Amino acid sequence: MRTFRIFFNSIRKLSLKKIMRLFSLVGPHPLFSLLSFYATLKAYTIAQQHFPETASNNGVGNAFRHALWCCFIMMYCCKISSPQKALDFCKRLTDMHEELFPNEPLETKMDLHNNKIGMDYFMELLPGIHRQFFEKGFFIDALIKKTHNAKVLENLDDDFGNDLIYLENKLL
């Protein structure tokens, strides 16, 4: 219930213009939107369980949450549509999230990078597993392992390739 309240309060704070932008993305894709909302709740809950200290700030738990969020969006949307359509929607939704709820430039870079890690990881697994058979467990353990090699982002010019990145110096 607490998680739902957080999301409701976030939406409530949006201006009418931002609500219209959000609706322009989710309106034409109601099933993707519902599945993405469910993915958001699941990723947030799981991140809180594994990283209670850093899941809601700029620590390694946040990096894990963003990558997991994208994997879940992709997984759920791929069950009803093609992987390419799911990827396009996921990218547009997660990029729009950063526009609607702006952060400092380093935080935005971190979130967008970790979102990309999640999408790339899903697409990397896709050839070996039929999209209908993906499960949450495929991502959780692998992304937790990635947190052990997560890097601290200190500069907008930093490039960490396929590593998760975070801002605070808290690993676990």
Side-chain angles (χ1 to χ4, degrees), residues 52-134:
E53 300 290 320
T54 61
S56 295
N57 58 33
N58 294 322
V60 72
N62 179 275
F64 169 82
R65 179 171 52 89
H66 274 267
L68 186 65
W69 179 41
C70 290
C71 285
F72 283 1
I73 292 171
M74 296 285 299
M75 176 181 71
Y76 294 134
C77 290
C78 272
K79 291 187 186 291
I80 64 165
S81 189
S82 72
Q84 190 57 50
K85 286 181 182 177
L87 179 63
D88 292 343
F89 180 81
C90 183
K91 173 111 175 78
R92 288 179 36 221
L93 179 70
T94 56
D95 287 356
M96 182 180 284
H97 175 271
E98 295 305 318
E99 292 173 28
L100 296 178
F101 304 100
N103 289 317
E104 296 297 320
L106 275 180
E107 293 172 325
T108 299
K109 179 177 172 107
M110 172 189 67
D111 290 346
L112 291 173
H113 175 85
N114 292 327
N115 291 346
K116 184 178 180 329
I117 296 298
M119 287 180 259
D120 289 350
Y121 183 62
F122 182 89
M123 295 305 284
E124 179 183 315
L125 292 178
L126 190 61
I129 304 168
H130 190 278
R131 67 181 196 240
Q132 296 296 325
F133 298 114
F134 273 100

Coordinates of all heavy atoms in Angstrom, one line a residue, residues 52-134:
P52 N 17.5 -2.2 1.1 CA 16.6 -1.2 1.8 C 17.2 0.1 2.0 O 16.5 1.1 2.1 CB 16.3 -2.0 3.1 CG 17.4 -3.0 3.2 CD 17.8 -3.4 1.8
E53 N 18.5 0.2 2.1 CA 19.2 1.5 2.4 C 19.4 2.3 1.2 O 19.5 3.6 1.3 CB 20.6 1.2 3.0 CG 20.5 0.4 4.3 CD 19.9 1.3 5.4 OE1 20.3 2.5 5.5 OE2 19.2 0.7 6.2
T54 N 19.5 1.7 0.0 CA 19.9 2.5 -1.2 C 18.9 2.4 -2.4 O 19.2 3.0 -3.4 CB 21.3 2.1 -1.7 OG1 21.2 0.7 -2.0 CG2 22.3 2.3 -0.6
A55 N 17.8 1.7 -2.2 CA 16.9 1.5 -3.3 C 16.1 2.8 -3.7 O 15.8 3.0 -4.9 CB 15.8 0.4 -3.0
S56 N 16.0 3.7 -2.8 CA 15.2 4.9 -3.0 C 16.1 6.2 -3.1 O 15.6 7.3 -3.2 CB 14.2 5.1 -1.9 OG 13.3 4.1 -2.0
N57 N 17.4 6.0 -3.1 CA 18.3 7.1 -3.3 C 19.2 6.9 -4.4 O 18.9 6.1 -5.3 CB 19.0 7.5 -2.0 CG 19.9 6.3 -1.5 OD1 20.4 5.5 -2.2 ND2 20.0 6.2 -0.1
N58 N 20.3 7.5 -4.5 CA 21.2 7.3 -5.6 C 22.3 6.3 -5.5 O 23.3 6.3 -6.2 CB 21.9 8.7 -5.9 CG 20.9 9.7 -6.3 OD1 19.9 9.4 -7.1 ND2 21.1 10.9 -5.9
G59 N 22.0 5.3 -4.6 CA 23.0 4.3 -4.3 C 22.9 3.1 -5.3 O 22.1 3.1 -6.2
V60 N 23.6 2.1 -4.9 CA 23.6 0.9 -5.8 C 22.2 0.2 -5.9 O 21.9 -0.4 -6.9 CB 24.7 -0.1 -5.3 CG1 24.3 -0.8 -4.1 CG2 25.1 -1.1 -6.4
G61 N 21.4 0.3 -4.9 CA 20.1 -0.2 -4.9 C 19.2 0.5 -6.0 O 18.4 -0.1 -6.6
N62 N 19.4 1.8 -6.2 CA 18.7 2.5 -7.2 C 19.2 2.0 -8.6 O 18.3 1.9 -9.5 CB 19.0 4.0 -7.0 CG 18.3 4.9 -8.1 OD1 18.8 5.0 -9.2 ND2 17.1 5.4 -7.7
A63 N 20.4 1.8 -8.7 CA 20.9 1.3 -10.0 C 20.3 -0.1 -10.3 O 19.8 -0.3 -11.4 CB 22.5 1.1 -10.0
F64 N 20.2 -0.9 -9.3 CA 19.6 -2.3 -9.5 C 18.1 -2.1 -9.8 O 17.6 -2.7 -10.7 CB 19.7 -3.0 -8.1 CG 18.9 -4.2 -8.1 CD1 19.3 -5.4 -8.6 CD2 17.7 -4.2 -7.4 CE1 18.5 -6.6 -8.5 CE2 16.9 -5.4 -7.3 CZ 17.3 -6.6 -7.9
R65 N 17.4 -1.2 -9.1 CA 16.0 -1.0 -9.4 C 15.7 -0.5 -10.8 O 14.8 -1.0 -11.4 CB 15.4 0.1 -8.4 CG 14.0 0.3 -8.5 CD 13.4 1.2 -7.4 NE 14.1 2.4 -7.1 CZ 13.9 3.6 -7.7 NH1 13.0 3.7 -8.6 NH2 14.6 4.6 -7.4
H66 N 16.5 0.4 -11.3 CA 16.3 0.9 -12.7 C 16.5 -0.2 -13.7 O 15.7 -0.3 -14.6 CB 17.1 2.1 -13.0 CG 16.5 3.4 -12.5 ND1 15.7 4.2 -13.3 CD2 16.5 4.0 -11.3 CE1 15.3 5.2 -12.6 NE2 15.7 5.2 -11.4
A67 N 17.5 -0.9 -13.6 CA 17.8 -2.0 -14.5 C 16.7 -3.1 -14.4 O 16.2 -3.6 -15.4 CB 19.2 -2.6 -14.3
L68 N 16.3 -3.4 -13.2 CA 15.3 -4.5 -13.0 C 14.0 -4.0 -13.6 O 13.2 -4.7 -14.2 CB 15.2 -4.8 -11.5 CG 14.2 -5.9 -11.1 CD1 14.7 -7.2 -11.7 CD2 14.1 -6.0 -9.6
W69 N 13.7 -2.7 -13.3 CA 12.4 -2.1 -13.8 C 12.3 -2.3 -15.3 O 11.3 -2.7 -15.9 CB 12.4 -0.6 -13.4 CG 11.3 0.2 -13.9 CD1 10.0 -0.1 -13.9 CD2 11.3 1.5 -14.4 NE1 9.2 0.9 -14.3 CE2 10.0 2.0 -14.6 CE3 12.4 2.5 -14.6 CZ2 9.7 3.2 -15.1 CZ3 12.0 3.7 -15.0 CH2 10.7 4.1 -15.3
C70 N 13.4 -2.0 -16.0 CA 13.4 -2.1 -17.5 C 13.2 -3.6 -17.9 O 12.5 -3.9 -18.9 CB 14.6 -1.5 -18.1 SG 14.5 0.3 -18.0
C71 N 13.9 -4.5 -17.2 CA 13.8 -5.9 -17.5 C 12.4 -6.4 -17.4 O 11.8 -7.1 -18.2 CB 14.7 -6.7 -16.6 SG 16.5 -6.7 -17.1
F72 N 11.7 -5.9 -16.3 CA 10.4 -6.3 -16.0 C 9.4 -5.7 -17.1 O 8.5 -6.4 -17.5 CB 9.9 -5.9 -14.6 CG 10.5 -6.8 -13.5 CD1 11.3 -7.9 -13.8 CD2 10.1 -6.5 -12.2 CE1 11.7 -8.7 -12.8 CE2 10.6 -7.3 -11.2 CZ 11.4 -8.4 -11.4
I73 N 9.6 -4.5 -17.4 CA 8.7 -3.9 -18.4 C 8.8 -4.7 -19.7 O 7.8 -5.1 -20.3 CB 9.0 -2.4 -18.7 CG1 8.7 -1.5 -17.5 CG2 8.3 -1.9 -19.9 CD1 9.2 -0.1 -17.6
M74 N 10.1 -5.0 -20.1 CA 10.3 -5.7 -21.3 C 9.7 -7.1 -21.2 O 9.0 -7.6 -22.2 CB 11.8 -5.8 -21.6 CG 12.5 -4.5 -21.9 SD 12.2 -3.9 -23.5 CE 12.8 -5.2 -24.5
M75 N 9.9 -7.8 -20.1 CA 9.4 -9.1 -19.9 C 7.8 -9.2 -20.1 O 7.3 -10.0 -20.8 CB 9.8 -9.7 -18.6 CG 9.2 -11.1 -18.3 SD 9.7 -11.7 -16.7 CE 8.7 -10.7 -15.6
Y76 N 7.2 -8.3 -19.3 CA 5.7 -8.3 -19.4 C 5.2 -7.9 -20.7 O 4.2 -8.5 -21.2 CB 5.1 -7.4 -18.3 CG 5.4 -7.9 -16.9 CD1 5.9 -7.0 -15.9 CD2 5.2 -9.2 -16.5 CE1 6.2 -7.5 -14.6 CE2 5.5 -9.7 -15.2 CZ 6.0 -8.8 -14.3 OH 6.3 -9.3 -13.0
C77 N 5.7 -6.9 -21.3 CA 5.2 -6.4 -22.6 C 5.5 -7.4 -23.7 O 4.7 -7.5 -24.7 CB 5.8 -5.0 -22.9 SG 5.1 -3.7 -21.8
C78 N 6.6 -8.1 -23.6 CA 6.9 -9.1 -24.7 C 6.0 -10.3 -24.6 O 5.8 -11.0 -25.6 CB 8.4 -9.6 -24.5 SG 9.6 -8.7 -25.3
K79 N 5.3 -10.5 -23.5 CA 4.3 -11.6 -23.5 C 3.1 -11.3 -24.3 O 2.3 -12.2 -24.7 CB 3.9 -11.9 -22.0 CG 5.1 -12.5 -21.3 CD 4.7 -12.9 -19.9 CE 5.9 -13.4 -19.1 NZ 6.5 -14.6 -19.5
I80 N 2.8 -10.0 -24.6 CA 1.7 -9.7 -25.4 C 2.0 -9.0 -26.8 O 1.1 -8.7 -27.6 CB 0.7 -8.7 -24.7 CG1 1.3 -7.4 -24.3 CG2 0.2 -9.4 -23.4 CD1 0.4 -6.3 -23.9
S81 N 3.3 -8.8 -27.0 CA 3.7 -8.1 -28.3 C 5.1 -8.5 -28.6 O 5.7 -9.3 -28.0 CB 3.6 -6.6 -28.1 OG 3.8 -5.9 -29.3
S82 N 5.6 -7.9 -29.7 CA 6.9 -8.3 -30.2 C 8.0 -7.6 -29.3 O 7.8 -6.6 -28.6 CB 7.1 -7.8 -31.6 OG 7.2 -6.4 -31.6
P83 N 9.2 -8.2 -29.2 CA 10.3 -7.6 -28.4 C 10.6 -6.2 -28.9 O 10.9 -5.4 -28.1 CB 11.4 -8.6 -28.7 CG 10.8 -9.9 -29.0 CD 9.5 -9.5 -29.7
Q84 N 10.6 -5.9 -30.2 CA 10.9 -4.6 -30.7 C 9.9 -3.6 -30.2 O 10.3 -2.5 -29.8 CB 11.0 -4.6 -32.2 CG 11.6 -3.3 -32.7 CD 13.0 -3.0 -32.1 OE1 13.9 -3.9 -32.1 NE2 13.2 -1.8 -31.6
K85 N 8.6 -3.9 -30.2 CA 7.6 -3.0 -29.8 C 7.7 -2.7 -28.3 O 7.6 -1.6 -27.8 CB 6.2 -3.5 -30.1 CG 5.9 -3.3 -31.5 CD 4.4 -3.8 -31.8 CE 4.1 -3.7 -33.3 NZ 2.8 -4.2 -33.6
A86 N 8.0 -3.8 -27.5 CA 8.2 -3.7 -26.1 C 9.5 -2.8 -25.8 O 9.4 -2.0 -24.9 CB 8.4 -5.1 -25.5
L87 N 10.5 -3.0 -26.5 CA 11.7 -2.2 -26.4 C 11.5 -0.7 -26.7 O 11.9 0.1 -25.9 CB 12.9 -2.7 -27.2 CG 14.2 -2.0 -27.2 CD1 14.8 -2.0 -25.8 CD2 15.2 -2.5 -28.2
D88 N 10.8 -0.5 -27.7 CA 10.5 0.9 -28.1 C 9.6 1.6 -27.0 O 9.9 2.7 -26.6 CB 9.7 1.0 -29.4 CG 10.6 0.6 -30.6 OD1 11.8 0.6 -30.5 OD2 10.0 0.3 -31.7
F89 N 8.6 0.9 -26.5 CA 7.7 1.4 -25.5 C 8.5 1.6 -24.2 O 8.4 2.7 -23.6 CB 6.5 0.5 -25.2 CG 5.6 1.1 -24.2 CD1 4.7 2.1 -24.5 CD2 5.7 0.6 -22.9 CE1 3.9 2.6 -23.5 CE2 4.9 1.1 -21.9 CZ 3.9 2.1 -22.2
C90 N 9.3 0.7 -23.8 CA 10.1 0.8 -22.6 C 11.1 2.0 -22.7 O 11.2 2.7 -21.7 CB 10.9 -0.5 -22.4 SG 11.9 -0.6 -20.9
K91 N 11.7 2.1 -23.8 CA 12.7 3.3 -23.9 C 11.9 4.6 -23.8 O 12.3 5.5 -23.1 CB 13.4 3.1 -25.2 CG 14.3 4.3 -25.6 CD 15.7 4.0 -25.5 CE 16.6 5.2 -26.0 NZ 16.8 6.2 -24.9
R92 N 10.8 4.7 -24.5 CA 10.1 5.9 -24.5 C 9.5 6.2 -23.1 O 9.5 7.4 -22.6 CB 8.9 5.9 -25.5 CG 9.5 6.0 -26.9 CD 8.4 5.9 -28.0 NE 7.2 6.5 -27.7 CZ 6.0 6.0 -28.1 NH1 5.9 4.9 -28.7 NH2 4.9 6.7 -27.8
L93 N 9.0 5.2 -22.4 CA 8.4 5.4 -21.1 C 9.5 5.8 -20.1 O 9.3 6.7 -19.3 CB 7.7 4.1 -20.6 CG 7.1 4.1 -19.2 CD1 5.9 5.1 -19.2 CD2 6.8 2.7 -18.8
T94 N 10.6 5.1 -20.1 CA 11.6 5.4 -19.1 C 12.3 6.7 -19.4 O 12.7 7.4 -18.4 CB 12.7 4.2 -19.0 OG1 13.2 3.9 -20.3 CG2 12.0 2.9 -18.5
D95 N 12.5 7.0 -20.6 CA 13.1 8.4 -20.9 C 12.1 9.5 -20.5 O 12.5 10.5 -20.0 CB 13.4 8.5 -22.4 CG 14.6 7.7 -22.9 OD1 15.3 7.1 -22.0 OD2 14.8 7.7 -24.1
M96 N 10.8 9.2 -20.8 CA 9.8 10.2 -20.4 C 9.7 10.4 -18.8 O 9.5 11.5 -18.3 CB 8.4 9.8 -20.9 CG 7.4 10.9 -20.5 SD 5.7 10.5 -21.1 CE 5.9 10.9 -22.9
H97 N 10.0 9.3 -18.1 CA 10.0 9.3 -16.7 C 11.0 10.3 -16.2 O 10.8 11.1 -15.3 CB 10.3 7.9 -16.1 CG 10.4 7.9 -14.6 ND1 11.6 8.2 -14.0 CD2 9.5 7.8 -13.6 CE1 11.5 8.1 -12.7 NE2 10.2 7.9 -12.4
E98 N 12.2 10.3 -16.9 CA 13.3 11.2 -16.5 C 12.9 12.7 -16.9 O 13.4 13.6 -16.2 CB 14.6 10.8 -17.1 CG 15.1 9.5 -16.7 CD 15.3 9.4 -15.1 OE1 15.7 10.4 -14.5 OE2 14.9 8.3 -14.6
E99 N 12.1 12.9 -17.9 CA 11.7 14.2 -18.3 C 10.6 14.7 -17.3 O 10.6 15.9 -16.9 CB 11.1 14.2 -19.7 CG 12.1 14.0 -20.8 CD 11.5 13.8 -22.1 OE1 10.4 14.4 -22.4 OE2 12.1 13.1 -23.0
L100 N 9.7 13.9 -16.9 CA 8.6 14.3 -16.1 C 9.0 14.5 -14.7 O 8.4 15.4 -14.0 CB 7.4 13.2 -16.1 CG 6.8 13.0 -17.5 CD1 5.7 12.0 -17.4 CD2 6.2 14.3 -18.0
F101 N 9.9 13.8 -14.2 CA 10.4 13.9 -12.8 C 11.9 14.2 -12.9 O 12.8 13.4 -12.6 CB 10.2 12.6 -12.1 CG 8.8 12.1 -12.1 CD1 8.3 11.2 -12.9 CD2 7.8 12.7 -11.2 CE1 7.0 10.8 -13.0 CE2 6.5 12.3 -11.2 CZ 6.1 11.3 -12.1
P102 N 12.2 15.5 -13.2 CA 13.6 15.8 -13.5 C 14.5 15.7 -12.2 O 14.0 16.0 -11.1 CB 13.6 17.3 -14.0 CG 12.2 17.8 -13.6 CD 11.3 16.6 -13.4
N103 N 15.7 15.4 -12.4 CA 16.8 15.2 -11.4 C 17.9 16.2 -11.8 O 17.9 16.8 -12.8 CB 17.3 13.8 -11.3 CG 16.3 12.8 -10.8 OD1 15.6 13.1 -9.8 ND2 16.2 11.7 -11.4
E104 N 18.9 16.1 -11.0 CA 20.2 16.7 -11.3 C 20.8 16.0 -12.5 O 20.5 14.8 -12.7 CB 21.2 16.7 -10.1 CG 20.7 17.4 -8.9 CD 20.6 18.9 -9.1 OE1 21.4 19.5 -9.8 OE2 19.6 19.5 -8.7
P105 N 21.7 16.6 -13.3 CA 22.2 16.0 -14.5 C 22.9 14.7 -14.2 O 22.7 13.7 -15.0 CB 23.2 17.0 -15.0 CG 22.7 18.3 -14.5 CD 22.1 18.1 -13.2
L106 N 23.7 14.5 -13.1 CA 24.3 13.3 -12.8 C 23.3 12.2 -12.5 O 23.5 11.0 -12.9 CB 25.3 13.4 -11.7 CG 26.7 13.9 -12.0 CD1 27.6 14.0 -10.7 CD2 27.4 13.0 -13.0
E107 N 22.3 12.5 -11.8 CA 21.2 11.6 -11.5 C 20.5 11.1 -12.7 O 20.2 9.9 -12.9 CB 20.2 12.2 -10.5 CG 20.8 12.5 -9.1 CD 19.9 13.2 -8.2 OE1 19.1 14.1 -8.8 OE2 19.9 13.0 -7.0
T108 N 20.2 12.0 -13.6 CA 19.6 11.7 -14.9 C 20.4 10.8 -15.7 O 20.0 9.7 -16.2 CB 19.2 12.9 -15.7 OG1 18.3 13.7 -14.9 CG2 18.6 12.6 -17.0
K109 N 21.7 11.1 -15.8 CA 22.7 10.2 -16.6 C 22.7 8.8 -16.0 O 22.7 7.8 -16.7 CB 24.1 10.8 -16.6 CG 25.0 9.9 -17.4 CD 26.4 10.5 -17.5 CE 27.4 9.5 -18.1 NZ 27.8 9.8 -19.4
M110 N 22.8 8.8 -14.6 CA 22.8 7.5 -13.9 C 21.5 6.7 -14.2 O 21.6 5.5 -14.6 CB 22.9 7.7 -12.4 CG 22.8 6.4 -11.6 SD 22.7 6.7 -9.8 CE 21.1 7.6 -9.7
D111 N 20.4 7.3 -14.1 CA 19.1 6.6 -14.3 C 19.0 6.1 -15.8 O 18.6 4.9 -16.0 CB 17.9 7.4 -14.0 CG 17.8 7.7 -12.5 OD1 18.5 7.0 -11.7 OD2 17.0 8.6 -12.1
L112 N 19.3 6.9 -16.7 CA 19.2 6.6 -18.1 C 20.2 5.4 -18.5 O 19.8 4.5 -19.2 CB 19.4 7.8 -19.1 CG 18.3 8.8 -19.0 CD1 18.8 10.1 -19.8 CD2 17.0 8.3 -19.5
H113 N 21.4 5.5 -17.9 CA 22.4 4.5 -18.2 C 21.9 3.1 -17.6 O 22.0 2.1 -18.3 CB 23.7 4.9 -17.5 CG 24.7 3.8 -17.6 ND1 25.5 3.6 -18.8 CD2 25.1 2.8 -16.8 CE1 26.4 2.6 -18.6 NE2 26.1 2.1 -17.4
N114 N 21.4 3.1 -16.4 CA 21.0 1.9 -15.7 C 19.7 1.3 -16.4 O 19.5 0.1 -16.5 CB 20.8 2.1 -14.2 CG 22.1 2.3 -13.5 OD1 23.1 1.8 -13.9 ND2 22.1 3.2 -12.5
N115 N 18.8 2.2 -16.9 CA 17.7 1.8 -17.7 C 18.2 1.0 -18.9 O 17.7 -0.1 -19.3 CB 16.8 2.9 -18.1 CG 16.1 3.6 -17.0 OD1 16.0 3.1 -15.9 ND2 15.6 4.8 -17.2
K116 N 19.2 1.6 -19.6 CA 19.7 1.0 -20.8 C 20.4 -0.4 -20.5 O 20.2 -1.4 -21.2 CB 20.8 1.9 -21.5 CG 21.3 1.3 -22.8 CD 22.3 2.3 -23.4 CE 22.9 1.8 -24.7 NZ 23.0 0.4 -24.9
I117 N 21.0 -0.5 -19.3 CA 21.6 -1.8 -18.9 C 20.5 -2.8 -18.8 O 20.7 -4.0 -19.3 CB 22.4 -1.6 -17.6 CG1 23.6 -0.7 -17.7 CG2 22.8 -3.0 -17.0 CD1 24.6 -1.1 -18.7
G118 N 19.4 -2.5 -18.2 CA 18.3 -3.4 -18.1 C 17.7 -3.8 -19.4 O 17.5 -5.0 -19.7
M119 N 17.5 -2.9 -20.3 CA 17.0 -3.2 -21.7 C 17.9 -4.1 -22.4 O 17.6 -5.0 -23.1 CB 16.6 -1.9 -22.4 CG 15.4 -1.2 -21.9 SD 15.0 0.3 -22.8 CE 15.7 1.6 -21.7
D120 N 19.2 -3.7 -22.4 CA 20.2 -4.5 -23.1 C 20.3 -5.9 -22.6 O 20.5 -6.8 -23.3 CB 21.6 -3.8 -23.0 CG 21.7 -2.5 -23.8 OD1 20.8 -2.2 -24.6 OD2 22.7 -1.7 -23.6
Y121 N 20.3 -6.0 -21.2 CA 20.4 -7.3 -20.6 C 19.2 -8.2 -21.1 O 19.4 -9.4 -21.4 CB 20.4 -7.3 -19.1 CG 20.6 -8.6 -18.5 CD1 21.7 -9.4 -18.7 CD2 19.6 -9.1 -17.7 CE1 21.9 -10.6 -18.1 CE2 19.8 -10.4 -17.1 CZ 20.9 -11.1 -17.3 OH 21.1 -12.4 -16.8
F122 N 18.0 -7.7 -21.1 CA 16.9 -8.4 -21.6 C 17.1 -8.9 -23.0 O 16.9 -10.0 -23.4 CB 15.6 -7.6 -21.5 CG 14.4 -8.4 -21.9 CD1 13.6 -9.2 -21.0 CD2 14.0 -8.4 -23.3 CE1 12.5 -9.9 -21.4 CE2 12.9 -9.1 -23.7 CZ 12.2 -9.9 -22.8
M123 N 17.5 -7.9 -23.9 CA 17.7 -8.3 -25.3 C 18.8 -9.3 -25.5 O 18.8 -10.1 -26.4 CB 17.9 -7.0 -26.1 CG 16.7 -6.0 -26.1 SD 15.2 -6.8 -26.7 CE 15.5 -6.8 -28.5
E124 N 19.8 -9.2 -24.6 CA 20.9 -10.2 -24.7 C 20.4 -11.6 -24.4 O 20.8 -12.6 -25.0 CB 21.9 -9.8 -23.6 CG 23.1 -10.7 -23.5 CD 24.1 -10.2 -22.4 OE1 24.3 -9.0 -22.3 OE2 24.5 -11.0 -21.6
L125 N 19.4 -11.7 -23.4 CA 18.9 -13.1 -23.1 C 17.9 -13.6 -24.1 O 17.6 -14.8 -24.2 CB 18.2 -13.0 -21.7 CG 19.1 -12.8 -20.5 CD1 18.3 -12.7 -19.2 CD2 20.2 -13.9 -20.4
L126 N 17.3 -12.7 -24.8 CA 16.1 -13.0 -25.7 C 16.4 -14.1 -26.7 O 15.6 -15.0 -26.8 CB 15.7 -11.7 -26.4 CG 14.4 -11.9 -27.2 CD1 13.2 -12.2 -26.3 CD2 14.1 -10.6 -27.9
P127 N 17.6 -14.2 -27.4 CA 17.8 -15.2 -28.4 C 17.8 -16.6 -27.7 O 17.4 -17.6 -28.4 CB 19.1 -14.9 -29.0 CG 19.3 -13.5 -28.7 CD 18.6 -13.2 -27.4
G128 N 18.1 -16.8 -26.5 CA 18.2 -18.1 -25.8 C 17.0 -18.6 -25.1 O 16.9 -19.7 -24.7
I129 N 16.0 -17.7 -25.0 CA 14.8 -18.0 -24.2 C 13.6 -17.5 -24.9 O 13.6 -16.3 -25.3 CB 14.8 -17.4 -22.8 CG1 16.1 -17.9 -22.0 CG2 13.6 -17.8 -22.0 CD1 16.4 -17.1 -20.8
H130 N 12.6 -18.3 -25.2 CA 11.4 -17.8 -25.8 C 10.8 -16.7 -24.9 O 10.7 -16.9 -23.7 CB 10.4 -18.9 -26.1 CG 9.3 -18.4 -27.0 ND1 8.2 -17.8 -26.5 CD2 9.1 -18.5 -28.3 CE1 7.4 -17.5 -27.5 NE2 7.9 -18.0 -28.6
R131 N 10.3 -15.6 -25.5 CA 9.9 -14.5 -24.7 C 8.7 -14.8 -23.8 O 8.5 -14.2 -22.8 CB 9.5 -13.3 -25.6 CG 8.3 -13.6 -26.5 CD 8.1 -12.4 -27.4 NE 6.7 -12.5 -27.9 CZ 6.5 -12.5 -29.2 NH1 7.5 -12.5 -30.1 NH2 5.2 -12.6 -29.7
Q132 N 7.9 -15.9 -24.1 CA 6.8 -16.3 -23.3 C 7.3 -17.0 -22.0 O 6.5 -17.1 -21.0 CB 5.9 -17.2 -24.0 CG 5.2 -16.5 -25.2 CD 4.3 -15.4 -24.8 OE1 3.6 -15.4 -23.8 NE2 4.3 -14.4 -25.7
F133 N 8.5 -17.4 -21.9 CA 9.0 -18.2 -20.8 C 9.9 -17.4 -19.8 O 10.5 -18.0 -18.9 CB 9.7 -19.5 -21.3 CG 8.8 -20.4 -22.0 CD1 8.9 -20.6 -23.4 CD2 7.7 -20.9 -21.4 CE1 8.1 -21.4 -24.1 CE2 6.8 -21.8 -22.1 CZ 7.0 -22.0 -23.5
F134 N 10.0 -16.1 -20.0 CA 10.8 -15.3 -19.1 C 10.2 -15.3 -17.8 O 8.9 -15.2 -17.7 CB 11.0 -13.9 -19.6 CG 12.2 -13.7 -20.6 CD1 12.0 -13.7 -21.9 CD2 13.4 -13.6 -20.1 CE1 13.1 -13.6 -22.8 CE2 14.5 -13.4 -20.9 CZ 14.3 -13.4 -22.3

